[in-house]
Amino acid sequence: MLEILDSSFDPGERLNSFSKTSGNAGGIASFIGRVRGERGDVSGLYLESYPGVTEKGIQSATDAAVKRWALVDVLVIHRIGTMSPGEPIVMVITAAEHRRAAFEACDFLMDYLKTDAMFWKKQTGADGEKWIEPRTEDYKDRERWT
Amino acid sequence: MLKVLYFGRLSDLAGRREEQFNLPERITTLSQLKMWLRKNRHLGEALDERYIKTMVNQKLVHEDLTLNGDEEIGFLPPVGGG
């Protein structure tokens, strides 16, 4: 399942309802990415997507993860629009028969979202506005899965 | 009508996120369109930077191609969410 939302969501609530419907999975791993405060320098974050294309890309990464780790269930939620520090941007939940598969698939999907998913991020802060692009570390993280 | 989409910092340079217009006269290829946008949309050399990707009808293109004038063209700076 994939949801791209232009309004806030409650990760706790999502995890709760996911666990109720993920059947006989022995392990569930989840990750929540939030807007960093950067020592008070960041006042907001804006994210945009390429509607249709962004969804298609995430869906194929999700399909690949389901196949590679034999996932029982997976949920990716990603925000677009304007957000404040502390607000969740992304949530990935994976359910598998055993923990390792759930952890790894969650990690893999986050690496995809950080470097390959079609989103563009603009940060507003003390220095004005600037577009943020992936860091070298993000690309290195992604290489772990090839 | 041609639909042109500018993402990320390119939308700031172009002063818009998208626009629709008829293929300008004497423009028949993607590379000619880029040249035209460079002059007419204050994009300078931004579209030629090697890490800017181009999508035509939502598919990545790596080479020049002939335009009919009804395509959706997206210019994409490096992506990243999360």
Side-chain angles (χ1 to χ4, degrees):
Chain A
M1 261 286 275
L2 164 65
E3 289 181 47
I4 294 182
L5 306 173
D6 59 5
S7 58
S8 208
F9 66 95
D10 180 342
E13 199 176 274
R14 293 315 190 94
L15 181 58
N16 206 12
S17 54
F18 181 93
S19 356
K20 281 181 190 153
T21 57
S22 53
N24 57 357
I28 295 174
S30 68
F31 177 83
I32 303 158
R34 307 196 306 166
V35 181
R36 263 194 306 275
E38 307 270 5
R39 302 179 304 279
D41 292 347
V42 177
S43 56
L45 193 68
Y46 165 80
L47 264 110
E48 64 180 18
S49 68
Y50 188 165
V53 181
T54 304
E55 287 87 343
K56 215 169 147 188
I58 300 175
Q59 194 56 58
S60 45
T62 305
D63 293 346
V66 168
K67 204 172 159 200
R68 182 164 171 180
W69 285 280
L71 297 179
V72 175
D73 202 0
V74 57
L75 174 63
V76 175
I77 303 172
H78 208 294
R79 275 292 314 274
I80 51 170
T82 309
M83 282 152 272
S84 309
E87 241 186 285
I89 309 174
V90 60
M91 181 170 199
V92 174
I93 317 178
T94 49
E97 205 173 324
H98 298 287
R99 73 183 185 287
R100 185 70 54 214
F103 276 135
E104 287 187 1
C106 187
D107 199 10
F108 164 83
L109 284 170
M110 272 313 302
D111 285 342
Y112 171 84
L113 292 165
K114 291 296 279 190
T115 53
D116 286 317
M118 296 236 176
F119 292 103
W120 294 272
K121 276 192 280 203
K122 190 193 237 178
Q123 184 177 289
T124 310
D127 307 331
E129 294 183 331
K130 64 173 178 193
W131 290 95
I132 311 285
E133 289 168 5
R135 305 162 305 155
T136 314
E137 294 93 313
D138 294 325
Y139 291 117
K140 276 191 195 149
D141 285 345
R142 182 190 56 186
E143 297 308 312
R144 296 179 297 149
W145 306 106
T146 52
Chain B
M1 292 261 271
L2 205 61
K3 187 176 183 184
V4 182
L5 308 169
Y6 306 96
F7 293 98
R9 59 190 166 80
L10 295 176
S11 63
D12 285 349
L13 291 173
R16 63 202 85 194
R17 293 185 63 197
E18 67 171 83
E19 62 179 326
Q20 292 196 39
F21 54 86
N22 289 317
L23 202 57
E25 211 176 324
R26 289 193 297 275
I27 304 289
T28 57
T29 65
L30 181 62
S31 59
Q32 289 169 349
L33 177 71
K34 284 188 187 176
M35 287 291 285
W36 186 88
L37 291 169
R38 176 198 279 213
K39 282 187 210 146
N40 294 280
R41 293 294 178 268
H42 315 290
L43 287 161
E45 288 172 12
L47 295 182
D48 301 321
E49 290 170 17
R50 64 183 169 80
Y51 42 80
I52 299 291
K53 291 181 178 160
T54 306
M55 278 192 154
V56 175
N57 294 332
Q58 307 198 345
K59 290 206 165 49
L60 278 175
V61 295
H62 304 285
E63 278 158 22
D64 199 15
L65 49 88
T66 306
L67 298 174
N68 297 321
D70 59 358
E71 289 89 351
E72 175 179 299
I73 301 180
F75 294 112
L76 291 64
V79 297

